[in-house]
């Protein structure tokens, strides 16, 4: 089976003033297409930085990041944005829903950005929100939605373009047990449909839904 994600010796160094901070220190990772992998580890271990590298939201200082057969370091900004829009869905830890848009408008946004007519995009978003149990909240704005509702909407937004790769950063953080279970089942369902799913989590229950669990420590992915 082909590799969906391949990181080879990836370093990411940020400058805090004149002080270099090593967020990733030679991280390597291989995830096969259709696999559900959970990366666990404490805060500050490098999980979010690793997700941002895989998503093409950040570039390695050195090393190689190949996603769905494409070397991200060889892609320009516009090409990378298009690749991400067409192939990658991201569920952020703090939802990142736009407050001025309704729930259904937030979910439809990636489709509209991809050129789908607004009416069709809203219809597809509404169907997906029905699947995640939010058909009664289509017109709600994020400020009036619970944390669990916002996170389910964020998962729907990440899935609406039918991405080949789904990435999630602490998707069950600060959720009650019922909301957490709903989000975990959505991600497991995406993997069962053939999508590659990569989740960064400190939650053992979330990790238990994955096919494989790896640990990130001190900017490296530990061998299994």
């Amino acid at each position: 089976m082909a590799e969906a994600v391949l990181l080879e010796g990836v370093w990411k160094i940020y400058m805090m003033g004149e002080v270099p901070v090593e967020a990733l220190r030679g991280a390597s990772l291989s995830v096969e297409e259709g696999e559900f992998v959970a990366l666990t580890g404490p805060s500050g271990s490098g999980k979010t930085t690793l997700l941002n590298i895989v998503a093409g939201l950040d570039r390695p200082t050195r090393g190689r990041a190949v996603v769905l057969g494409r070397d991200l370091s060889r892609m320009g900004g516009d090409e990378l944005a298009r690749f991400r829009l067409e192939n990658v869905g991201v569920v952020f830890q703090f939802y990142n829903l736009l407050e001025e848009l309704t729930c259904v408008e937030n979910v439809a946004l990636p489709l509209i950005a991809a050129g789908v007519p607004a009416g069709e995009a809203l219809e597809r978003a509404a169907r997906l929100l029905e699947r995640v149990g939010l058909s009664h909240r289509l017109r709600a704005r994020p400020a009036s939605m619970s944390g669990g509702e916002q996170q389910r909407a964020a998962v729907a937004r990440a899935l609406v373009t039918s991405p080949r790769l789904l990435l999630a950063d602490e998707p069950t953080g600060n959720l009650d047990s019922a909301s957490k279970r709903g989000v975990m089942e959505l991600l497991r369902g995406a993997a069962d449909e053939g999508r590659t799913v990569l989740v960064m989590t400190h939650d053992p229950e979330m990790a238990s839904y994955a096919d494989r669990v790896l640990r990130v420590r001190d900017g490296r992915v530990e061998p299994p």
Side-chain angles (χ1 to χ4, degrees):
M1 190 173 291
E3 289 169 319
V5 176
L6 178 63
L7 302 184
E8 294 180 325
V10 169
W11 287 72
K12 184 62 186 179
I13 302 173
Y14 297 101
M15 296 303 297
M16 301 290 287
E18 297 183 358
V19 180
V21 176
E22 297 173 343
L24 293 176
R25 305 172 62 226
S28 294
L29 173 67
S30 175
V31 180
E32 292 185 350
E33 287 188 6
E35 190 177 17
F36 185 165
V37 173
L39 293 177
T40 67
S43 298
S45 60
K47 299 192 305 296
T48 296
T49 302
L50 193 149
L51 178 142
N52 287 339
I53 296 286
V54 174
L57 297 169
D58 209 346
R59 294 182 183 269
T61 304
R62 60 180 184 268
R64 188 164 170 255
V66 179
V67 177
L68 302 174
R70 301 289 300 277
D71 188 337
L72 302 188
S73 65
R74 298 180 179 274
M75 300 169 70
D78 290 345
E79 184 184 10
L80 191 56
R82 174 57 59 177
F83 172 80
R84 185 166 55 245
L85 183 63
E86 293 176 349
N87 296 282
V88 183
V90 184
V91 183
F92 296 97
Q93 182 176 0
F94 298 108
Y95 324 133
N96 281 19
L97 301 178
L98 299 179
E99 292 292 338
E100 65 272 20
L101 300 182
T102 64
C103 179
V104 70
E105 289 168 343
N106 266 287
V107 174
L109 202 56
L111 290 173
I112 293 170
V116 176
E120 181 184 342
L122 289 167
E123 186 178 322
R124 286 167 60 178
R127 287 201 301 267
L128 189 52
L129 283 167
E130 184 176 2
R131 279 184 57 195
V132 303
L134 289 176
S135 58
H136 64 301
R137 302 294 273 155
L138 299 185
R139 307 294 173 217
R141 296 190 186 274
S144 70
M145 297 167 67
S146 70
E149 288 173 337
Q150 290 189 62
Q151 191 64 300
R152 279 183 284 157
V155 174
R157 182 184 57 190
L159 288 171
V160 75
T161 58
S162 299
R164 293 170 61 191
L165 175 62
L166 182 63
L167 307 173
D169 188 12
E170 300 289 1
T172 56
N174 303 314
L175 297 183
D176 61 51
S177 57
S179 297
K180 183 164 75 168
R181 192 173 307 110
V183 169
M184 291 188 295
E185 289 172 356
L186 283 170
L187 295 174
R188 181 66 253 178
D192 292 342
E193 291 172 358
R195 293 181 179 85
T196 305
V197 180
L198 184 59
V199 174
M200 316 298 163
T201 184
H202 66 274
D203 181 352
E205 190 177 1
M206 174 73 256
S208 72
Y209 278 66
D211 302 319
R212 187 160 56 105
V213 181
L214 298 171
R215 183 170 176 81
V216 182
R217 186 193 296 272
D218 298 330
R220 298 185 181 92
V221 180
E222 295 183 338

